[in-house]
């Protein structure tokens, strides 16, 4: 853990510690606070010398650019403006705390200008002392004293034993007197009583000390009808004896109600205790001596002593700091004592600080040695500095020479106890800072340049004026938070009249020092005022100042100058009461214009203002003056707003002409991901506008809208967390601002519209103007939202808000309770909650019989954002629906009201929330207005996605992480309501009445007509999905809609079930060709289908392709049919290969599952499997499907087929098994049939010789002689083809049919001719193909006769030839 080390003094400082923690110290190590900047660094660099924050910080523009890089999201205008307001409020809250600018060292920095415009205070009025007081005064016999109860606007005077109070603000006020005792009054004080002791109306306690007693008098105050406050005194019967104590000082704790006093005869501190009732050993009222010891405790009268007398030390001032539970006393010897107030009326002395110790601390400071601070001077008053104002500083002491000494009290234990949140008693006090009086030249030679001669830069203490006696002797002085100083100095030695010196911190310069490295120490604005009489008392008429409740930001007067009343101080003299009002920065700015000085003088003052406070603050202040926030004291001593047209006009020009320009940081654009517009820093004019708006709304921005309480009689009580009067004031200010911006929009860059872009000479200027417009427009939008939001709050609290809140759902009710004004003004969630409240208001008025249109229209006029024109229509539609429910849905009036409600809902479908739509759909369904519920849901779905993004997302197969999916989800919520309606319809069976269907049937038909005729394809798609989810496939097949085909087609590529539904739907409506195409696609698809399923799809496709289909040309049908047939052949071949491989003993059992997995699925090229496995018949089929026409390959495959068939048959031969030639016959017959005797794949000219050789070489004398010829004839080979091949073989004389073996061929020729002749003789065809063919056959037979046939064949040959020759004749 590290601790920041403060500045090290040049000389050792006794009693010094590293830090001075306090009760509310921040966490350890957080000593250095970030500086407050009233204007952005961007504007500072652009329009003047370098203006840094109090502590070294990174330049503002860098943070702005970084923010741009990380916040490139597309913000709505109101969100952007809200973020700007929050940033402004954060900067305001970071205003430096007192410890940072009243730091260790000395200073004498004053700006006392001769121009009244820069005066920190202004005397408002002098109230004369009433004549009645002088009449009483003239009767005085012993003594008189005067004082102020400034917060009650009352003064008091004690004349001998009587006390009189009067309201000094009223003419000829009545006197309120306390004359119930006869002793001389020595002191009077008004304190806050202890809680619970007196009745609630007694809010203050008047402590009256006399020469022998202290009386406690109750005081009640209330606003008077004539203005001001009226007071009444009540006798409490409480008094204590103080005989022997000359009471001169009384102080009370506002927090605990404790009352302390001291006298002129000792430095003892006493306390008055009081309680409601007497107790054992304790009276209602008593006194305690917290400091006396021994005999003095019981006998306060001084004992007689012998020898020289020493002046008795006594208490001259006593103050209390409730925030630290400390009581400070100042003695006549300038000794400061610190007491800690503890529980049970405890008071412990913890620090005694003699004057010598204080001077010793000062002597260790650089340039602090001065005749003003010596043992010759005395401390005349002390003022506490609370922990809310400073974490380190505790006390300010004022000397008789006019010096102010700032002191801190600390202890090692308190430093560590602050970490645990406890309060430790301090045991050491140190001087931190000394503020010397202003230079004597200021008063003697006033002039316009005196302010500059008084400025002392930080770290340059050599120039500090530490010898000025301008405030010597100081007779009376008092400090008021956050640093107002009132010092009373006798005019001269001969005159009893005082001159008043007033000063206040220059908070603008503190917030925005001229140089970050050479910051001024505690700069103040000062002024002199001659009061012409002797000052008796001074007090604050307003509540103690505090911009925040913590040291950081506490003293920021600039932040609250439009939000809180300016501080007002009253000074009582022996001639009257002077009231002084703190002049705000806006008042000073307005006074500059009032004083004038010509154009050159005004321009010089403007430059001075900008130099001191920056362009942003200047623009904000000028805007405030232009909107009427400047105040002045009129000639008749009234505080009024400045309405001088010349002043307002000059302020308007100042805002427009001195507002600066936006700055484009082009060098900071590092990549293209950050838009160029986000690299633009808006102008100081935008900063000023944002600052002004932030200061107007700062008191409500983070505040909740309402606060709840419980009443014994009324129960739940809800009231506004911010008074309605305050809201109205803010609204009026914003309305003036809105009007100003609207009136001057043509003169303000960023609000003047597109015309301003035409004046841009470069791209950078154009981008800068666009960014400026975006920033200013966002502020304008937010101003409108705030005005309407405040109007809505007023409407809300005009109603019975308790009933409205109770009517909300528990979740919404809790959200409304925690809703802040910021959320209401700038968040969509807040707007939604406001709409819920609007609905509750309207529903309540409807329930009470009010006209909804009147109520809604009133809401729309006052707060259109929360109750728009569409909202009015929605409320009217809801009212019509409720009236329809009362009239009944079966009545004509009820149906008309339902139709009117639907028409109104449809009119504003784009504005309906899902809750409103659900309520309307449920209501329509409950009234059996199903068609209306469906139509409304469809309309709302369409309005939610007018670009039809949902459909395009569906058509793109619904990709993941696609922004269009959100559009579909929005529609889907509407479609789900339609599903509910359909479910309700389908669960209600139709009933009959007098042979006719009831009205339910007609309403069902109306509902389905809306569904079927809907052109919302996204809805139709969702409906079909829902049908399938409900397992209602038949409903899809019954739908007559153009979208069903598109729906099934989109899904068919992804899901087999949808593809099945698609071809079934086509078949049902007669689109056979389209059904065949889908089935063909299924057969080819990558779906996990078995081979048999694919063959089944191809078979169905072949059947459908062969059937006529409307609108499909014959050629197209033929092409599809051919394509299906070819694929079916391939599938059959693949099936054959699969079956053979599964039954092939050569295939390993472990290998079979892999083969089955590969083949029992998609269609594949099978030649690899068929060829390797020796399935030559299948190879031939593959040749045909592949249209492979190589004769050599075909002959070789046939040859291999015959050889393989013979071998396999021989290997398997048994007694009962087929002979090899029979197996060959079966193979040839099977292939011939499947090949349709293709001339290419079933070449008889090659196949017949192969068979003849096979029969001769392997099957000779086995089986019938003519089995080869009979086989070919059986499968349909023409006779003439067989005859021609055999004839060629006979004449070619090729092996093995040579020589005598030729007779085998000759025998087959005779056999063919005989069968041919018999066949042709029976039919109507020509015998043997005609005469020419017959002649050739006859000639061939003649050759056969000569070739050596056996006797039987020779005789058969001669007989055939004879018969042929007879036919030829």
């Amino acid at each position: 853990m590290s601790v920041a080390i403060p500045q090290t003094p040049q000389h050792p400082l006794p009693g010094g510690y590293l830090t001075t923690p306090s009760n509310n110290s921040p966490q350890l190590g957080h000593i250095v606070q970030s500086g407050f900047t009233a204007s952005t660094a961007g504007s500072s660099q652009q329009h003047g010398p370098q203006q840094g924050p109090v502590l070294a910080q990174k330049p503002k523009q860098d943070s702005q650019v970084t923010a741009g890089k990380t916040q490139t999201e597309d913000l709505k205008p109101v969100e952007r403006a809200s973020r700007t307001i929050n940033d402004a409020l954060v900067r305001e809250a970071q205003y430096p705390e007192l410890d940072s600018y009243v730091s260790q060292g000395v200073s004498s920095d004053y700006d006392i200008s001769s121009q009244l415009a820069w005066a920190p205070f202004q005397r408002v009025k002098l109230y004369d002392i009433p004549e009645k007081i002088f009449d009483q005064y003239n009767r005085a016999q012993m003594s008189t004293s005067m004082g102020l109860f400034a917060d009650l606007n009352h003064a008091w005077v004690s004349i001998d034993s009587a006390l009189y109070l009067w309201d000094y603000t009223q003419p000829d006020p009545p006197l309120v007197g306390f004359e119930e005792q006869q002793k001389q009054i020595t002191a009077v004080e008004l304190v806050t009583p202890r809680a619970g002791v007196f009745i609630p109306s007694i809010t203050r306690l008047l402590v009256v000390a006399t020469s022998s007693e202290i009386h406690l008098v109750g005081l009640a105050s209330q606003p008077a009808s004539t203005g001001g406050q009226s007071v009444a005194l009540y006798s409490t019967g409480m008094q204590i004896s103080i005989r022997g104590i000359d009471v001169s000082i009384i102080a009370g704790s506002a927090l605990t109600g404790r009352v302390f006093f001291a006298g002129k005869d000792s430095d003892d501190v006493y306390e008055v205790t009081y309680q409601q009732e007497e107790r054992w050993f304790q009276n209602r009222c008593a006194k305690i001596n917290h400091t006396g010891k021994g005999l003095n405790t019981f006998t306060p009268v001084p004992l007689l002593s012998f020898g020289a007398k020493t002046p008795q030390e006594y208490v001259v001032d006593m103050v209390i700091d409730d925030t630290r539970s400390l009581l400070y006393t100042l003695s006549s010897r300038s000794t400061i004592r610190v007491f800690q107030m503890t529980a049970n009326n405890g008071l412990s002395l913890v620090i005694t600080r003699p004057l010598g110790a204080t001077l010793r601390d000062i002597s260790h400071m650089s340039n602090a040695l001065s005749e003003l601070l010596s043992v010759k001077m005395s401390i005349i008053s002390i003022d506490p500095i609370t922990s809310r104002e400073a974490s380190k500083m505790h006390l300010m002491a004022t000397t008789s020479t006019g010096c102010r000494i700032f002191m801190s009290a600390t202890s090692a234990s308190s430093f560590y106890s602050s970490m645990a949140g406890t309060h430790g008693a301090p045991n050491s006090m140190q001087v931190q800072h000394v503020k010397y009086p202003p230079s004597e030249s200021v008063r003697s030679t006033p002039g316009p340049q005196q302010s500059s001669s008084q400025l002392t830069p930080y770290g340059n203490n050599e120039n500090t004026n530490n010898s000025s006696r301008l405030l010597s002797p100081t007779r009376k002085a008092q400090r008021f938070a956050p640093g107002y100083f009132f010092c009373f100095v006798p005019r001269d030695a001969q005159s009893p009249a005082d001159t008043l010196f007033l000063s206040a911190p220059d908070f603008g310069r503190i917030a925005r020092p001229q140089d970050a490295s050479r910051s001024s120490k505690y700069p103040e604005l000062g002024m002199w005022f001659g009061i012409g009489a002797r000052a008796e008392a001074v007090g604050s008429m307003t509540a103690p100042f505090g911009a925040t409740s913590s040291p950081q930001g506490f003293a920021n007067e600039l932040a609250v100058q439009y939000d809180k009343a300016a501080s007002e101080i009253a000074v009582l003299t022996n001639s009257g009461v002077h009231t002084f009002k703190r002049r705000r920065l806006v008042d000073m700015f307005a006074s500059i214009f009032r004083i004038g000085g010509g154009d050159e003088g005004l321009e010089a003052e403007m430059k001075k203002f900008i130099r001191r406070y920056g362009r942003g603050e200047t623009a904000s202040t000028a805007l405030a003056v232009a909107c009427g926030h400047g105040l002045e004291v009129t000639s008749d001593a009234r505080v009024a707003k400045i309405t001088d047209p010349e002043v307002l006009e000059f302020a308007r020009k100042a805002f427009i002409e001195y507002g600066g320009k936006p700055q484009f940081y082009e060098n900071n654009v590092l990549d293209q991901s950050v838009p160029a517009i986000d690299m633009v820093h808006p102008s100081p004019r935008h900063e000023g506008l944002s600052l002004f708006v932030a200061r107007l709304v700062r008191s409500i921005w983070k505040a909740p809208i309402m606060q709840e309480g419980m009443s014994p009689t009324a129960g739940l009580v809800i009231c506004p967390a911010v008074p309605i009067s305050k809201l109205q004031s803010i609204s009026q200010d914003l309305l003036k601002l809105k009007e100003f911006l609207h009136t001057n929009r043509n003169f303000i860059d960023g609000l003047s519209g597109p015309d301003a872009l035409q004046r841009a000479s470069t791209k950078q200027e154009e981008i800068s103007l666009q960014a400026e417009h975006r920033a200013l427009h966002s502020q304008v939008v937010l101003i409108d939202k705030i005005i309407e939001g405040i109007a809505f709050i007023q409407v809300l609290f005009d109603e019975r808000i308790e009933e409205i809140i109770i009517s909300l759902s528990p979740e919404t009710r809790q959200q409304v309770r925690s809703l802040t004004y910021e959320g209401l003004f700038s968040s969509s969630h807040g707007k939604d909650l406001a709409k819920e409240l609007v609905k509750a208001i309207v529903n309540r008025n409807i329930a009470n019989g009010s006209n909804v249109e009147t109520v809604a229209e009133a809401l729309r006029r006052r707060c259109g954002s929360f109750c728009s024109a569409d909202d009015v229509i929605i409320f009217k539609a809801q009212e019509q629906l409720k009236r329809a429910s009362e009239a009944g849905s079966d009545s004509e009036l009820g149906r008309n009201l339902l139709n009117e409600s639907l028409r109104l809902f449809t009119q504003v479908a784009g504005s309906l929330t899902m809750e409103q739509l659900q309520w309307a759909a449920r209501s329509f369904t409950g009234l059996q207005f199903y068609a209306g519920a469906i139509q409304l849901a469809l309309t709302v779905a369409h309005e939610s996605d007018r670009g039809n993004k949902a459909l395009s997302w569906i058509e793109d197969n619904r990709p993941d992480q696609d922004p269009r999916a959100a559009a579909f989800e929005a529609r889907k919520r509407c479609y789900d309501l339609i599903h509910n309606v359909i479910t309700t319809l389908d669960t209600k069976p139709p009933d009959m009445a007098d042979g006719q269907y009831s009205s339910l049937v007609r309403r069902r038909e109306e509902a389905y007509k809306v569904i079927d005729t809907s052109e919302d394809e996204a809805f139709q798609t969702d409906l079909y999905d829902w049908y399938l989810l409900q397992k209602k496939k038949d409903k899809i097949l019954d739908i007559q809609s153009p979208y069903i085909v598109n729906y099934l087609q989109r899904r068919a590529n992804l899901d087999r079930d949808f593809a099945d539904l698609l071809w079934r739907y086509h078949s049902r409506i007669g689109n056979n060709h389209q059904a065949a195409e889908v089935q063909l696609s299924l057969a080819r698809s990558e779906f996990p289908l078995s081979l048999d399923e694919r063959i089944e799809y191809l078979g169905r496709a072949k059947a459908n392709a062969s059937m006529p289909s409307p609108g499909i040309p014959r050629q197209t049908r033929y092409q599809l049919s051919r394509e299906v047939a070819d694929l079916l052949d391939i599938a059959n071949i693949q099936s054959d290969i699969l079956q053979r491989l599964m039954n092939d003993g050569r295939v390993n059992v472990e290998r079979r599952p892999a083969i089955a997995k590969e083949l029992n699925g998609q269609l594949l090229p099978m030649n690899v499997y068929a060829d390797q496995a020796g399935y030559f018949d299948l190879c031939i089929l593959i040749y045909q499907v592949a249209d492979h026409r190589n004769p050599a390959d075909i002959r070789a495959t046939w040859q291999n087929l015959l050889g393989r068939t013979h071998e396999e048959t021989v290997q398997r031969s048994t007694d009962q098994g087929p002979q090899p030639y029979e197996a060959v016959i079966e193979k040839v017959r099977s292939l011939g049939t499947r090949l349709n005797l293709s001339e290419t794949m079933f070449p008889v000219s090659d196949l017949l010789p192969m068979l003849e050789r096979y029969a001769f070489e392997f099957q000779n004398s086995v089986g019938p002689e003519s089995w080869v010829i009979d086989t070919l004839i059986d499968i349909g080979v023409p006779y003439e083809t067989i005859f021609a091949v055999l004839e060629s073989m006979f004449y070619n004389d090729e092996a093995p049919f040579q020589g005598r073996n030729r007779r085998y061929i000759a025998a087959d020729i005779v056999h063919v001719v005989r069968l041919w002749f018999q066949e042709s003789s029976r039919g109507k065809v020509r015998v043997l193909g005609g005469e020419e063919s017959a002649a050739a056959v006859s000639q061939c037979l003649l050759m056969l006769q000569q070739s050596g046939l056996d006797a039987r064949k020779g005789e058969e040959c001669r007989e055939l030839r004879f018969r042929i020759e007879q036919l030829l004749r």
Side-chain angles (χ1 to χ4, degrees), residues 460-530:
N460 192 17
N461 291 338
E462 297 81 7
N463 298 329
T464 300
N465 188 338
N466 60 4
S467 61
S468 172
R469 292 189 174 274
L470 197 59
L471 299 182
S472 297
T474 296
R475 191 180 62 81
K476 189 177 187 65
Q478 189 161 349
R479 179 187 187 273
F480 300 94
Y484 309 145
F485 181 56
F486 281 63
C487 182
F488 300 92
V489 181
R491 182 186 302 171
D492 52 58
Q494 292 74 28
S495 174
D498 290 334
T499 298
L500 173 60
F501 175 72
L502 307 90
S503 68
D506 190 349
F507 293 111
R509 288 173 56 198
I510 292 172
R512 188 178 182 276
Q514 299 295 312
D515 191 333
S517 61
R518 297 179 61 83
S519 173
S520 297
K521 266 195 175 182
Y522 197 12
E524 288 187 291
L525 296 172
M527 63 176 288
W528 292 91
F529 188 85

Side-chain angles (χ1 to χ4, degrees), residues 1219-1292:
Q1219 294 295 322
Y1221 79 91
E1222 293 176 332
V1224 170
I1225 290 172
E1226 181 60 30
K1227 189 67 69 176
V1228 172
R1229 181 179 286 115
S1230 172
L1231 277 177
T1233 302
R1234 295 184 65 175
L1235 294 173
N1236 292 324
L1237 299 180
S1238 170
E1239 294 180 0
T1240 305
M1241 301 302 157
F1242 198 85
V1244 178
S1245 58
D1246 295 328
L1247 186 57
L1248 181 55
M1250 291 180 194
L1251 292 173
E1252 291 289 355
R1253 283 194 293 274
Y1254 169 75
F1256 176 78
E1257 293 176 354
F1258 297 100
Q1259 297 293 300
N1260 196 1
S1261 301
V1262 180
E1265 295 179 355
S1266 58
W1267 65 266
V1268 174
I1269 305 304
D1270 291 341
T1271 300
L1272 295 178
I1273 292 174
D1274 287 344
I1275 62 177
V1277 178
Y1279 293 103
E1280 54 267 32
T1281 301
I1282 299 175
F1283 174 77
V1285 175
L1286 290 175
E1287 183 182 22
S1288 175
M1289 292 177 64
F1290 182 79
Y1291 287 121
N1292 288 340

Side-chain angles (χ1 to χ4, degrees), residues 326-442:
L326 297 179
L327 180 144
Y328 305 92
T329 64
L330 174 67
S331 75
S332 56
R333 296 177 184 173
S334 299
T335 298
I336 298 174
R337 292 180 174 86
V338 183
F339 299 84
Q340 185 183 34
M341 299 183 293
T342 57
N344 299 320
N345 296 326
L347 187 71
S348 304
L349 176 63
V350 293
I351 298 175
T352 300
R353 187 72 171 175
L355 177 61
T358 301
L359 295 176
R360 190 165 52 250
D361 280 359
I362 297 173
S363 68
H364 290 284
M365 294 183 179
S366 175
N367 199 29
L369 296 178
S370 170
E371 294 181 358
L372 302 179
L373 298 173
S374 66
V375 294
K376 296 180 181 180
M377 64 86 185
S378 62
I379 299 176
I380 63 166
S381 66
I382 55 175
D383 295 284
I385 300 175
T386 66
S387 61
R388 292 180 56 204
E389 187 175 358
S391 57
K392 182 177 181 182
M393 215 68 70
H394 281 58
L395 190 71
M396 187 194 84
T398 305
T399 69
S400 58
T401 56
C403 297
R404 283 173 280 169
I405 304 173
F406 292 87
M407 312 177 78
S408 65
T410 182
S411 71
S413 62
S414 66
F415 176 74
Y416 294 103
S417 64
S418 65
M419 298 172 54
T422 60
H423 302 284
N427 57 16
S428 175
M429 179 171 279
Q430 305 86 34
V431 175
Q432 295 293 330
H433 187 87
V434 176
K435 185 65 180 280
Y436 288 103
S439 172
E440 294 183 16
S441 61
V442 173

Side-chain angles (χ1 to χ4, degrees), residues 990-998:
D991 52 347
M992 299 285 291
D994 297 331
Q996 296 182 352
Y997 285 111
S998 66

